[in-house]
Amino acid sequence: MNILNIEHISKVYGEKTIFDDASFGIHEGEKIGVIGINGTGKTTLLRMAAGLEEPDEGQIVRQNGLRIAYLPQNPAFPEGATIQSYIDDGATENVWMVQSNLTRLGIMEYDTQIDHLSGGQKKKVALAKILETPADLILLDEPTNHLDNDMITWLEEYLRGFRGVVLMVTHDRYFLDRVTNKILEISHGKMYGYEANYSKFLELQAEREEMELASERKRQSVLRMELEWAKRGCRARTTKQRARLDRLEALKNGQAPVQDQSVELDSVETRMGRKTIELHHISKSYGEKKLVEDFDYIFLKNQKVGFIGPNGCGKSTLLKMIAGLVEPDSGSVEIGETVRIAYFAQELPELDTRQRVIDYVKDIGEYVQTRDGRITASQMLERFLFTPDMQYAPIEKLSGGEKKRLYLLGILQSNPNCLILDESNNDLDIPTLTILEDYLNAFSGIVITVSHDRYFLDNVVDRIFAFHGDGTLTQYEGGYTDYLEIKRRMESGLSDGAAGAAGRQSAGAGKNGGGKNLAQGQNGKNSAGGKGEKNGRKDWKQNRPVKLKFTFKEQREFETIDDEIASLEQKLEDLDNEMMANATNSLKLSELTAEKEETERKLDEKMERWVYLNDLAEKIEAQKNA
């Protein structure tokens, strides 16, 4: 049963079209994940569903009495409110359940003023209350931001057990996989629904795009044939001339499927010398709380390391010590002279929102050195999907995700050889995350990251350090799924080679383990290089020019195919006339319909063959004239 219908809505902001005659229905029992690149209108959709914003055209029809609870990306609170006064404010009957949720989310002191909380803590307070607000439809905008892995797992289970409908925007791909049973893709003003979780959606999306491309290829093939026919003087009868010219006009007016652009991440890393980043017995405490205790580690070139742990355990503090933004209480951090660090902070730095986007980038550098050479700041912005109009707009006009993408651009523009990323994936859309992951995997420098995105960790890091909350860390080899498996084995008392790879981190473990990885990396590189060289020589032999020519059969086919196509088109015209004459004879009409379908199939085959033969003829002619 439908509880909410989005009917032919359109929405425009300035010169940017967000929705263009888009429709979608939400049914009982659905857990829907909304997907799309930043700036496509995901947050706008949630706001319109909540009744906080109206479409320019079309309408949103809600079931009578539908109760809606909405968690925005940046929740607003009454001025001067404490956590307790906020959750006491009549929107929910189960205050004690809200307090239980807050405990799960790591918030214990209810007399704290909300104004004194961090952005992440504010989001948790709002989430704890929303989950206990009586609702048939919950709208969640980035609910997993600022949650650690245990909290995300708890939220997954909560939403899976929720009896109402969930419509949410999130870029956490594992979360989408485990919670959703439907995906809503927003692309170029349209909405596409898929009865699937995220993994199945990827398959269905690829099928949809391939079908669109196949239809476009066919349209282009037929268009080329019709244009060629028109140039040759329309040899057929007048009636057919008109029909074919009408079809030619329709083909010319057809629209090709619009494909999403993707971010192009590219920069040149500065060469790194022998000495990298060395942490010597560093410790850090705030008051009586130990964040890092006697941590000793040497990062190796091309190593990707992830730090995980509960909120407030010290992950961000450790990254800031490595970046030189915070001093350790004891121990030392030594940075090699050739190491160039770029630090991507968890919270966006203060941006001059009145500054133009292009000027923000030019302040970092007028030109950017890439693997393909030097490009301008404007060209770099285009690679990051900032159109010329967006480049000359003030930063305040950008969405939250677009601001994060601009910040990432500035980080990479400095050509670092060490990237320190503190929750870099918050607010980035899934296509950008995918490309960032590919970039980091190819990055020939050090990557040090804190992330709660399990998918991201699986795709990027080769070693994980888990914080325990008492200043100590444990080292695990592999990504996040490897960490979970090894941890499970250790906790169940099973001792095998995998479990033995993890243990309390020590100076020896850090240095020797890293050395082993380096050796393996070099051996892999050498073997791949040798193999590539052999294959290159083989390919050179295979790719020598081959003289093109028609076979005898193809030559005969090329000479007769125009007449065969004309004959099939005439047959279709005759069948149409015969079907009209037998409109009341169901048996005869069924026979004619089947014959028409078979004739259309043969015509499609002939048209595709016509395109192939004409392409070959053009190549043969070009080879003769070369």
Side-chain angles (χ1 to χ4, degrees), residues 246-261:
D246 288 344
R247 182 166 69 171
L248 175 59
E249 197 61 32
L251 288 167
K252 286 163 67 177
N253 293 332
Q255 289 188 339
V258 183
Q259 292 184 286
D260 286 324
Q261 289 181 287

Side-chain angles (χ1 to χ4, degrees), residues 36 46 140 230 266 274 342 352 412 434 441 484 498 550 571 573 600 624:
L46 293 195
L140 303 174
D266 184 19
R274 181 170 297 180
D352 181 358
L412 298 181
T434 303
N441 283 321
L484 284 181
F550 275 133
K571 185 176 181 179
E573 188 177 323
E600 286 175 337
K624 286 180 182 176

Side-chain angles (χ1 to χ4, degrees), residues 588-604:
K588 182 65 174 177
L589 194 60
S590 177
E591 293 174 0
L592 292 171
T593 300
E595 188 177 358
K596 181 180 178 182
E597 288 175 355
E598 177 63 17
T599 305
E600 286 175 337
R601 184 189 65 78
K602 290 179 179 178
L603 179 60
D604 285 344

Side-chain angles (χ1 to χ4, degrees), residues 250-300:
L251 288 167
K252 286 163 67 177
N253 293 332
Q255 289 188 339
V258 183
Q259 292 184 286
D260 286 324
Q261 289 181 287
S262 60
V263 178
E264 296 180 47
L265 298 186
D266 184 19
S267 66
V268 176
E269 303 91 39
T270 306
R271 182 182 171 278
M272 188 182 293
R274 181 170 297 180
K275 186 168 183 176
T276 58
I277 299 174
E278 300 180 3
L279 311 181
H280 298 296
H281 304 286
I282 62 171
S283 297
K284 186 70 180 179
S285 299
Y286 284 118
E288 296 182 0
K289 184 173 178 60
K290 288 183 179 179
L291 299 180
V292 181
E293 179 69 15
D294 193 32
F295 184 60
D296 193 75
Y297 191 72
I298 295 175
F299 292 92
L300 299 172

Side-chain angles (χ1 to χ4, degrees), residues 382-625:
E382 286 185 8
R383 290 189 176 194
F384 273 65
L385 306 188
F386 291 101
T387 63
D389 288 343
M390 295 171 72
Q391 292 179 25
Y392 288 91
I395 292 174
E396 65 186 357
K397 295 290 186 182
L398 302 181
S399 69
E402 288 167 339
K403 288 175 184 173
K404 202 73 178 277
R405 197 193 306 149
L406 181 64
Y407 178 39
L408 175 62
L409 185 161
I411 292 293
L412 298 181
Q413 195 174 347
S414 61
N415 297 331
N417 53 26
C418 175
L419 290 169
I420 299 179
L421 310 173
D422 193 355
E423 291 292 357
S424 59
N425 24 16
N426 281 357
D427 299 319
L428 290 181
D429 57 60
I430 290 175
T432 303
L433 278 176
T434 303
I435 292 162
L436 175 60
E437 288 161 0
D438 290 341
Y439 173 84
L440 294 176
N441 283 321
F443 182 73
S444 58
I446 297 171
V447 176
I448 306 168
T449 183
V450 165
S451 179
H452 297 133
D453 187 327
R454 301 154 293 178
Y455 197 105
F456 179 84
L457 290 170
D458 271 346
N459 277 354
V460 172
V461 307
D462 48 44
R463 178 170 293 177
I464 281 179
F465 283 97
F467 278 75
H468 297 285
D470 59 357
T472 61
L473 296 89
T474 299
Q475 174 182 309
Y476 300 83
E477 296 305 308
Y480 185 79
T481 301
D482 300 313
Y483 149 75
L484 284 181
E485 177 61 20
I486 296 169
K487 184 183 176 187
R488 184 188 66 78
R489 290 175 178 273
M490 293 172 69
E491 289 175 347
S492 64
L494 297 175
S495 176
D496 61 11
R504 289 287 175 182
Q505 196 277 329
S506 65
K511 294 172 184 174
N512 296 335
K516 182 181 177 183
N517 283 357
L518 179 63
Q520 289 172 341
Q522 289 174 338
N523 289 339
K525 183 178 179 183
N526 291 341
S527 65
K531 187 176 179 182
E533 189 179 345
K534 286 182 180 178
N535 286 344
R537 288 196 294 268
K538 184 179 179 183
D539 289 345
W540 178 82
K541 291 177 183 177
Q542 291 177 341
N543 291 336
R544 283 181 292 187
V546 177
K547 187 174 181 180
L548 296 172
K549 63 178 182 179
F550 275 133
T551 64
F552 177 78
K553 183 180 178 182
E554 285 173 336
Q555 182 65 49
R556 293 276 300 175
E557 189 179 7
F558 181 61
E559 292 169 355
T560 61
I561 196 166
D562 281 342
D563 291 334
E564 290 173 1
I565 287 172
S567 175
L568 287 168
E569 287 180 327
Q570 182 62 56
K571 185 176 181 179
L572 281 176
E573 188 177 323
D574 293 343
L575 285 168
D576 282 337
N577 293 333
E578 195 172 352
M579 288 171 73
M580 289 177 65
N582 290 273
T584 58
N585 186 340
S586 59
L587 183 61
K588 182 65 174 177
L589 194 60
S590 177
E591 293 174 0
L592 292 171
T593 300
E595 188 177 358
K596 181 180 178 182
E597 288 175 355
E598 177 63 17
T599 305
E600 286 175 337
R601 184 189 65 78
K602 290 179 179 178
L603 179 60
D604 285 344
E605 288 179 356
K606 286 293 181 185
M607 285 179 170
E608 290 176 5
R609 189 65 178 164
W610 184 93
V611 171
Y612 165 75
L613 292 170
N614 274 271
D615 282 344
L616 182 56
E618 289 173 5
K619 289 174 183 176
I620 292 171
E621 188 64 29
Q623 195 176 62
K624 286 180 182 176
N625 297 331

Side-chain angles (χ1 to χ4, degrees), residues 4 124 186 209 238 309 485 505 548:
L4 187 147
K124 290 176 188 176
I186 302 177
E209 291 177 348
T238 305
E485 177 61 20
Q505 196 277 329
L548 296 172

Side-chain angles (χ1 to χ4, degrees), residues 181-390:
N181 55 23
K182 191 168 189 176
I183 297 293
L184 173 59
E185 180 192 12
I186 302 177
S187 178
H188 300 285
K190 303 298 183 185
M191 297 180 188
Y192 303 92
Y194 303 83
E195 301 286 341
N197 63 5
Y198 179 71
S199 294
K200 184 63 177 175
F201 151 75
L202 291 177
E203 297 176 25
L204 296 175
Q205 181 196 42
E207 288 175 11
R208 175 181 70 80
E209 291 177 348
E210 180 55 37
M211 286 174 63
E212 288 179 348
L213 290 174
S215 297
E216 173 60 14
R217 285 195 296 269
K218 184 174 179 180
R219 185 181 76 88
Q220 291 290 345
S221 296
V222 176
L223 176 60
R224 287 176 57 196
M225 193 188 79
E226 294 293 320
L227 287 169
E228 184 66 26
W229 171 85
K231 283 191 292 184
R232 291 179 184 179
C234 310
R235 295 177 301 176
R237 294 199 270 300
T238 305
T239 303
K240 193 193 301 184
Q241 284 180 8
R242 275 201 307 271
R244 291 190 72 161
L245 288 171
D246 288 344
R247 182 166 69 171
L248 175 59
E249 197 61 32
L251 288 167
K252 286 163 67 177
N253 293 332
Q255 289 188 339
V258 183
Q259 292 184 286
D260 286 324
Q261 289 181 287
S262 60
V263 178
E264 296 180 47
L265 298 186
D266 184 19
S267 66
V268 176
E269 303 91 39
T270 306
R271 182 182 171 278
M272 188 182 293
R274 181 170 297 180
K275 186 168 183 176
T276 58
I277 299 174
E278 300 180 3
L279 311 181
H280 298 296
H281 304 286
I282 62 171
S283 297
K284 186 70 180 179
S285 299
Y286 284 118
E288 296 182 0
K289 184 173 178 60
K290 288 183 179 179
L291 299 180
V292 181
E293 179 69 15
D294 193 32
F295 184 60
D296 193 75
Y297 191 72
I298 295 175
F299 292 92
L300 299 172
K301 297 178 184 178
N302 203 28
Q303 191 173 45
K304 278 76 173 176
V305 179
F307 289 91
I308 63 173
N311 288 339
C313 67
K315 303 185 298 295
S316 293
T317 301
L318 177 59
L319 294 198
K320 288 176 182 177
M321 286 193 285
I322 297 171
L325 303 175
V326 171
E327 288 293 324
D329 297 337
S330 60
S332 62
V333 178
E334 296 182 13
I335 309 292
E337 291 183 5
T338 59
V339 175
R340 291 184 61 173
I341 293 175
Y343 174 66
F344 190 103
Q346 185 171 352
E347 300 293 339
L348 271 175
E350 287 293 327
L351 302 174
D352 181 358
T353 56
R354 294 170 299 178
Q355 186 181 31
R356 296 186 306 178
V357 171
I358 185 75
D359 294 330
Y360 172 84
V361 177
K362 284 183 175 180
D363 283 350
I364 301 169
E366 289 276 352
Y367 295 92
V368 183
Q369 191 64 38
T370 71
R371 291 181 176 88
D372 299 326
R374 203 167 69 148
I375 63 173
T376 66
S378 179
Q379 289 170 320
M380 189 68 171
L381 279 165
E382 286 185 8
R383 290 189 176 194
F384 273 65
L385 306 188
F386 291 101
T387 63
D389 288 343
M390 295 171 72

